[in-house]
Amino acid sequence: DIQMTQSPSSLSASVGDRVTITCRTSQNIRRYLNWYQQKPGKAPNLLISGASSLQSGVPSRFSGSGSGTDFTLTISSLQPEDFATYYCQQSYSTPMYTFGQGTKLEIK
Amino acid sequence: EVQLVESGGGLVQPGRSLRLSCVGSGFTFDDYAMHWVRQAPGKGLEWVSGISWDSGSVGYAASVKGRFTISRDNAEKSLYLQTSSLRVEDTALYYCVKDGGSRLFPSRSALDIWGQGTMVTVS
């Protein structure tokens, strides 16, 4: 099974900061890496698929990059509504759609 | 509006069964594979099971294989998860999720539409 390692597990930042979250996989997954945002009490929301394809309606301050085993999610200028938990997920080695353990982004 | 609405959760004793249901609307249900993903209280996301558009291919996480059965009824635009031999560790919010781009299971698509979940408590 592919192991997913997200870092950091939690992060404190201020509105306007640039933030980067990293996801590392134990095997080459090419670009089959997706990012989700989950706010408290809500279902996850797909932000980015295929490592860098922004979903419709997602603000352009979100971006994704990487391939192989190392991936990043970047928020260029944090907004109050961005404070949430972020998960990476691989869809290369199916049927096990493995998720990272999550990164909780909190207000400093 | 694309929507998934789950039901069927509740409090159940260990060893018992529960059938979860999900109804889809706002999209052509039988054009997509479907999945169940769960989240234990305060924990991360765990993919549970998936099914192709025609029910011809299904898959399960190792943690539920042999105890859970996924199915669908395209005429009713519904997805089901029959759970049995429930364990305390199955306690979680169960999400019904639409595959992002494929009729097939497994696929390499992301999971693009999530319901609000139905809570299963095993105690």
Side-chain angles (χ1 to χ4, degrees):
Chain A
D1 291 356
I2 293 180
Q3 308 304 313
M4 314 282 291
T5 304
Q6 261 183 262
S7 60
S9 55
S10 64
L11 174 61
S12 293
S14 301
V15 172
D17 284 354
R18 179 183 179 89
V19 166
T20 297
I21 298 169
T22 297
C23 183
R24 179 164 290 175
T25 61
S26 59
Q27 299 174 34
N28 184 347
I29 63 167
R30 294 163 59 182
R31 291 177 59 83
Y32 293 100
L33 192 285
N34 312 303
W35 290 98
Y36 302 83
Q37 176 193 64
Q38 186 177 33
K39 296 181 179 179
K42 300 294 186 183
N45 178 51
L46 176 64
L47 296 177
I48 289 171
S49 62
S52 60
S53 296
L54 204 63
Q55 295 301 292
S56 175
V58 175
S60 59
R61 62 181 179 272
F62 290 91
S63 64
S65 65
S67 65
T69 61
D70 293 294
F71 302 87
T72 58
L73 171 69
T74 300
I75 310 172
S76 60
S77 179
L78 270 175
Q79 298 302 300
E81 60 268 29
D82 299 338
F83 292 93
T85 299
Y86 293 85
Y87 294 94
C88 61
Q89 176 239 339
Q90 67 85 17
S91 54
Y92 176 77
S93 178
T94 56
M96 291 303 298
Y97 296 76
T98 327
F99 290 89
Q101 78 276 20
T103 295
K104 187 173 184 179
L105 179 53
E106 298 174 306
I107 301 174
K108 185 182 286 185
Chain B
E1 180 192 6
V2 177
Q3 195 172 10
L4 297 166
V5 178
E6 303 94 335
S7 61
L11 174 63
V12 62
Q13 294 177 329
R16 303 297 291 264
S17 301
L18 209 56
R19 190 195 196 205
L20 308 183
S21 300
C22 167
V23 177
S25 61
F27 66 102
T28 304
F29 189 79
D30 57 4
D31 269 352
Y32 297 95
M34 295 292 295
H35 305 264
W36 289 98
V37 175
R38 69 184 181 183
Q39 186 170 35
K43 302 296 184 183
L45 301 168
E46 180 189 16
W47 176 83
V48 173
S49 183
I51 186 169
S52 62
W53 70 283
D54 62 352
S55 305
S57 178
V58 299
Y60 301 94
S63 57
V64 306
K65 197 168 187 178
R67 300 187 298 121
F68 289 10
T69 302
I70 191 171
S71 61
R72 65 190 293 165
D73 181 338
N74 288 336
E76 297 295 324
K77 299 182 181 181
S78 293
L79 178 71
Y80 305 102
L81 188 68
Q82 179 68 51
T83 69
S84 63
S85 303
L86 282 164
R87 305 168 181 168
V88 171
E89 55 265 36
D90 294 319
T91 294
L93 186 61
Y94 285 73
Y95 292 105
C96 170
V97 190
K98 174 184 164 292
D99 194 276
S102 179
R103 285 182 148 192
L104 305 177
F105 176 85
S107 78
R108 287 177 166 170
S109 304
L111 307 174
D112 70 343
I113 302 295
W114 298 60
Q116 287 305 302
T118 187
M119 186 68 201
V120 173
T121 304
V122 185
S123 177

